[in-house]
Amino acid sequence: MVYQRRMPHRELFCAQLELLMHSGRSTMVVTHMVGVAVAAFLLWPYLGWGATLLGAAGFLALLLVRRPYAQGMLQRRFESAPGPLFWQLLAGAALTGALWAVIYIAAAAVVPVALQHVLLLTITSIAAFSIGFSVVVREYFLAQVFTSLWPIAWWNTANYWQQSHNLVIGLALLAFCAILMMVCSQAYAAFRNMIALNWEREQTARELGDLTGSLRLRNRELQAARRQLSNLANVDELTGLGNRRLANSVLQEEINRARRNHSDISIILLDVDFFKDYNDTYGHLAGDVVLKTLGRLMERACGRAGEVVARYGGEEFLLILPGASSAAAQHTAARLQELVRQERIAHRASTAAAYLTVSQGVVTARRNAELQPEDLILAADAMLYRAKARGRNAIVVKTPPAG
């Protein structure tokens, strides 16, 4: 079962800052520039082009000062230094909002009431529009509202005696601020839940992916372990050849195949001559080297695909030759005998030769012969016994009659 963790507070805070900066990087600048254009259009007949352009330039300079949007995204400061970046963004929002409040209060003394209302509508629209992208960080939006609309509302309320409608405007703005705060809180909670939920889903997907990868790895390791165990169960540790268990299994399969295909199968059972005397003379380590060497020579002697060499027990080896006729099996036995002779492994305790020799019993089962593996092994063992009785270093062949 995957444990779905909750999003850490710091990571959630960094994600909020990233979303705010990503969504507000251009929207904030465009919104305020539109507001500045509207304000300049309304005020220039009363303030003159010089003062109007100077004020607009100052406002745009303030927007340029608020570079943390671009710099923070490029430098990813929302991850490395979220705290300082948060306060920098908050200060920028507060300064911008306060500047709008100052513009309105200053303009109220020189412009007609109708234009004053248009300017107020512009400032209110900017605040309302910014809720869509800035509410992801609630404090950022509240800083804009409480430094722009809140002072204007109280100024209208406090100066109710100048205009009969100032009190209505002030109270309406206070109510509007309260509504914005309520909407802000609900949207803020929704944004936080959305960010946390997406993070938890990503974590769950990542953990499931890791778990799947881990299971795949464990499955591969288990399959490798099974193959290794199978090899250990079927391979002779000393020579690296198949062991008796593998030889019996392969022999049964090849007999069944020969019966189905009406083909021949031959086996060679061989024994190292006077191997006990060799161990007594040269030591068991030297005897192990001899067995390894014989294994290599037998693999060289078997040149056809499907032929299997196995250590059947002690110094006995079994060669399984599927599809080999009696003549082909004799040829393989003779080739092996010659390879052993060429190796010239000294064996002074042998009475058969000055060098190490092997005795071989060869048996071929004709097509359709109803033989079992034990029958072939027993027949090959009988031939091997005859080879030893003939003085060893010999090959004795038997071809059972066709069934």
Side-chain angles (χ1 to χ4, degrees):
M1 180 178 180
V2 178
Y3 174 65
Q4 186 169 328
R5 298 174 295 173
R6 295 185 63 85
M7 188 175 188
H9 177 73
R10 175 184 172 82
E11 194 163 345
L12 176 59
F13 182 57
C14 293
Q16 289 177 265
L17 288 178
E18 181 183 11
L19 184 58
L20 170 64
M21 298 173 67
H22 181 76
S23 61
R25 182 168 47 180
S26 58
T27 308
M28 180 272 297
V29 176
V30 172
T31 302
H32 286 290
M33 287 183 66
V34 171
V36 170
V38 173
F41 180 77
L42 295 176
L43 297 179
W44 74 267
Y46 305 96
L47 300 180
W49 278 111
T52 303
L53 290 177
L54 182 62
F59 203 113
L60 293 177
L62 175 60
L63 294 179
L64 292 176
V65 170
R66 295 177 61 181
R67 292 293 293 171
Y69 279 106
Q71 294 177 357
M73 287 297 292
L74 292 176
Q75 302 172 4
R76 300 188 69 83
R77 290 177 53 203
F78 53 85
E79 292 180 349
S80 59
L85 179 61
F86 169 75
W87 289 110
Q88 192 173 359
L89 292 172
L90 216 61
L95 286 174
T96 305
L99 186 57
W100 279 117
V102 170
I103 291 173
Y104 175 83
I105 294 173
V110 296
V111 301
V113 174
L115 296 182
Q116 180 181 341
H117 292 169
V118 173
L119 181 60
L120 177 59
L121 180 61
T122 301
I123 298 172
T124 305
S125 298
I126 293 173
F129 182 76
S130 64
I131 196 173
F133 66 87
S134 63
V135 73
V136 65
V137 178
R138 180 174 51 189
E139 294 79 5
Y140 182 88
F141 176 73
L142 294 179
Q144 286 187 319
V145 171
F146 278 97
T147 55
S148 60
L149 297 183
W150 195 258
I152 294 174
W154 282 111
W155 183 88
N156 278 279
T157 303
N159 293 275
Y160 68 93
W161 49 270
Q162 292 184 1
Q163 298 287 343
S164 58
H165 54 268
N166 278 359
L167 181 60
V168 176
I169 292 176
L171 295 176
L173 279 178
L174 291 174
F176 183 67
C177 289
I179 294 173
L180 287 180
M181 291 174 59
M182 293 175 57
V183 174
C184 169
S185 297
Q186 295 177 0
Y188 172 75
F191 269 111
R192 283 175 60 90
N193 291 336
M194 179 190 68
I195 294 172
L197 182 60
N198 287 337
W199 183 89
E200 291 170 0
R201 287 177 177 173
E202 290 177 359
Q203 287 294 111
T204 301
R206 187 179 299 111
E207 291 173 1
L208 285 174
D210 293 343
L211 180 59
T212 302
S214 177
L215 289 176
R216 289 174 180 169
L217 177 61
R218 295 296 180 269
N219 186 46
R220 287 194 293 268
E221 291 176 348
L222 180 59
Q223 291 176 349
R226 287 178 177 174
R227 287 193 295 269
Q228 185 176 7
L229 288 175
S230 178
N231 291 336
L232 291 175
N234 294 310
V235 175
D236 178 63
E237 183 179 358
L238 176 63
T239 62
L241 303 175
N243 58 17
R244 185 171 188 150
R245 176 181 177 182
L246 178 65
N248 290 332
S249 175
V250 171
L251 186 56
Q252 180 66 68
E253 292 176 1
E254 295 301 335
I255 288 176
N256 294 337
R257 183 179 291 108
R259 188 176 296 127
R260 291 192 303 268
N261 299 335
H262 305 290
S263 60
D264 295 342
I265 179 173
S266 298
I267 66 171
I268 302 174
L269 186 65
L270 67 89
D271 186 89
V272 181
D273 295 330
F274 302 108
F275 187 67
K276 181 179 182 303
D277 295 334
Y278 186 91
N279 279 336
D280 293 340
T281 303
Y282 298 98
H284 288 279
L285 292 179
D288 290 345
V289 173
V290 166
L291 295 179
K292 293 179 182 178
T293 302
L294 284 176
R296 176 173 51 83
L297 296 178
M298 283 183 284
E299 288 180 332
R300 287 177 56 190
C302 296
R304 299 175 58 187
E307 296 181 339
V308 175
V309 179
R311 185 183 179 190
Y312 206 66
E315 66 273 19
E316 285 190 338
F317 294 87
L318 181 66
L319 283 70
I320 303 174
L321 313 175
S325 63
S326 179
Q330 292 180 55
H331 176 75
T332 299
R335 173 173 167 75
L336 176 58
Q337 187 179 49
E338 177 63 19
L339 289 174
V340 174
R341 188 190 66 78
Q342 292 176 3
E343 199 69 21
R344 300 181 66 84
I345 301 174
H347 189 356
R348 63 175 180 267
S350 173
T351 59
Y355 298 95
L356 192 77
T357 59
V358 295
S359 298
Q360 303 179 69
V362 183
V363 174
T364 298
R366 295 294 187 187
R367 57 184 60 86
N368 296 327
E370 296 294 335
L371 292 177
Q372 297 300 319
E374 304 82 29
D375 300 327
L376 280 178
I377 296 296
L378 288 175
D381 188 61
M383 296 302 102
L384 177 60
Y385 181 80
R386 291 185 184 181
K388 291 182 179 180
R390 292 181 182 180
R392 306 178 190 265
N393 192 24
I395 301 172
V396 177
V397 182
K398 177 182 178 180
T399 304

